[in-house]
């Protein structure tokens, strides 16, 4: 994908949602909140970092890995705006007062762990720890951005949950991300991290059998370490009410060159594994919805 393809001259659509395209549909939603790759020209001009540096924070091509999932009976929801400009896996108003030119309203969450890391709803720093913005931000403009992007994305999730809860008595949400690689010699190296908020957001049946599935594909899998699930997982997951939410983190080195963001030969292999996994979740959905936490 060229730089020309990434840079837009107007705000993109808030999200893309694709309904099931198969004969059978399942109460399963695939969410990709961090794979937005449409960089608005005006927003870029306010950043002090290069596009390549900004892109290190995105979950590159996760939406492409999963783009065939609607043909297997699931709903697919993807963000369009890059996460540095509006992070959909945070609370709506996790904002760092240091990057605003005026005081923030009292109802903003200015002291969350994510804000302190510089990665609240509007990122202060890149994934490499570099300052993003050239200028102080206007709260009125950021408020409009959050209302446009954050709320529209989460309205889709809420609508899906409500509709499928009424129809099926529950639903499954898989929130899928990618993570920077680490040296394979590291004791913490892993290919896949499954997060359920330490047994709080989905049934043991889903996470334990998902771990088994990926391990049987030759992948190293861990649970909750180092990623136990972000806002989407923890906010919507409620297995006692048959709403099962699990976060899946994928090692970027499995499918792209992290230096130049180019897909390599592992992309199609991983894509096939993920589609097979989605098919497995579909077949097991009734068992997952019957299981208890």
């Amino acid at each position: 994908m060229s730089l020309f393809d990434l840079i837009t001259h107007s705000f993109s659509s808030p999200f893309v949602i694709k309904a099931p395209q198969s004969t059978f549909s399942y109460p399963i939603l695939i969410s990709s909140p961090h794979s937005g790759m449409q960089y608005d020209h005006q927003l870029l001009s306010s950043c002090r970092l290069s596009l390549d540096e900004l892109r290190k924070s995105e979950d590159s091509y996760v939406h492409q890995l999963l783009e065939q999932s609607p043909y297997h009976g699931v709903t697919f929801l993807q963000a369009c705006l890059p996460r540095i400009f509006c992070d959909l896996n945070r609370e709506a108003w996790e904002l760092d007062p240091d990057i605003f030119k005026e005081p923030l309203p009292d109802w903003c969450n200015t002291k969350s762990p994510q804000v302190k890391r510089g990665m609240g709803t509007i990122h202060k720093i890149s994934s490499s720890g570099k300052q993003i913005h050239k200028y102080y931000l206007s709260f009125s403009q950021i408020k409009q951005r959050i209302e446009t992007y954050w709320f529209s994305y989460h309205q889709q999730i809420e609508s899906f949950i409500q509709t499928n809860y009424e129809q099926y008595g529950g639903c499954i949400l898989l929130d899928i991300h990618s993570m920077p690689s680490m040296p394979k010699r590291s004791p913490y190296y892993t290919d896949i991290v499954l997060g359920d908020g330490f047994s709080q957001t989905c049934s043991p049946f889903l996470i334990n059998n998902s771990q088994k599935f990926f391990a049987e594909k030759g992948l190293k899998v861990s649970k909750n370490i180092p990623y136990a699930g972000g806002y989407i997982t923890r906010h919507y997951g409620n297995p006692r009410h048959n709403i099962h939410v699990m976060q899946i983190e994928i090692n970027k080195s499995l499918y792209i060159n992290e230096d130049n963001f180019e897909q390599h030969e592992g992309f199609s292999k991983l894509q096939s594994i993920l589609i097979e996994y989605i098919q497995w979740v579909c077949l097991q959905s009734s068992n997952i919805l019957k299981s208890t936490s």
Side-chain angles (χ1 to χ4, degrees), residues 23-180:
T23 304
F24 298 101
S25 62
Y26 299 88
I28 300 169
L29 174 66
I30 306 295
S31 165
S32 180
H34 285 168
S35 62
M37 296 171 62
Q38 296 182 22
Y39 288 85
D40 177 76
H41 183 268
Q42 184 175 357
L43 292 180
L44 283 176
S45 67
S46 69
C47 296
R48 62 174 70 236
L49 302 179
S50 68
L51 180 56
D52 280 351
E53 181 64 31
L54 295 173
R55 290 195 66 195
K56 292 178 182 178
S57 296
E58 73 186 23
D59 290 353
S60 305
Y61 308 114
V62 165
H63 59 293
Q64 291 185 13
L65 286 168
L66 296 156
E67 63 185 358
Q68 297 300 314
S69 55
Y71 295 100
H72 300 278
V74 308
T75 302
F76 179 60
L77 176 63
Q78 177 219 337
C80 294
L81 194 69
R83 65 179 294 206
I84 56 167
F85 298 128
C86 188
D87 195 325
L88 305 174
N89 204 24
R90 303 287 186 264
E91 296 176 19
W93 307 107
E94 284 187 78
L95 301 176
D96 190 331
D98 291 343
I99 61 176
F100 287 88
K101 60 186 177 184
E102 69 262 78
L104 295 174
D106 292 339
W107 41 264
C108 291
N109 183 352
T110 61
K111 298 181 180 180
S112 75
Q114 300 293 357
V115 168
K116 291 179 179 178
R117 289 178 55 225
M119 297 182 179
T121 314
I122 307 298
H123 286 207
K124 176 182 179 178
I125 61 173
S126 69
S127 62
S128 302
K130 299 178 181 179
Q131 297 289 325
I132 292 175
H133 307 284
K134 290 180 183 177
Y135 319 108
Y136 287 112
L137 305 178
S138 163
F139 177 72
S140 62
Q141 292 178 343
I142 295 303
K143 182 174 182 288
Q144 182 180 14
R145 187 188 305 175
I146 292 170
E147 289 173 346
T148 300
Y149 289 91
W150 194 98
F151 281 97
S152 63
Y153 193 89
H154 284 267
Q155 284 168 1
Q156 295 301 311
I157 295 177
E158 291 169 1
S159 176
F160 177 89
I161 290 174
Q162 181 177 350
T163 299
N164 285 272
Y165 192 84
E166 292 172 355
Q167 183 173 353
Y168 296 98
C171 64
I172 300 162
L173 195 168
L174 301 175
D175 197 50
I176 304 187
H177 301 258
S178 63
M179 59 186 177

Side-chain angles (χ1 to χ4, degrees), residues 249-268:
E249 292 274 359
I250 303 167
N251 189 323
K252 288 183 178 180
S253 67
L254 292 174
Y255 68 98
I256 64 168
N257 182 320
E258 293 174 86
D259 293 327
N260 60 18
F261 308 100
E262 291 184 1
Q263 299 171 11
H264 58 59
E265 66 280 358
F267 183 92
S268 57

Side-chain angles (χ1 to χ4, degrees), residues 236-253:
Y236 294 108
N238 191 342
R240 291 184 179 181
H241 288 82
N242 225 10
I243 301 169
H244 302 273
V245 185
M246 186 175 70
Q247 180 173 287
I248 302 177
E249 292 274 359
I250 303 167
N251 189 323
K252 288 183 178 180
S253 67

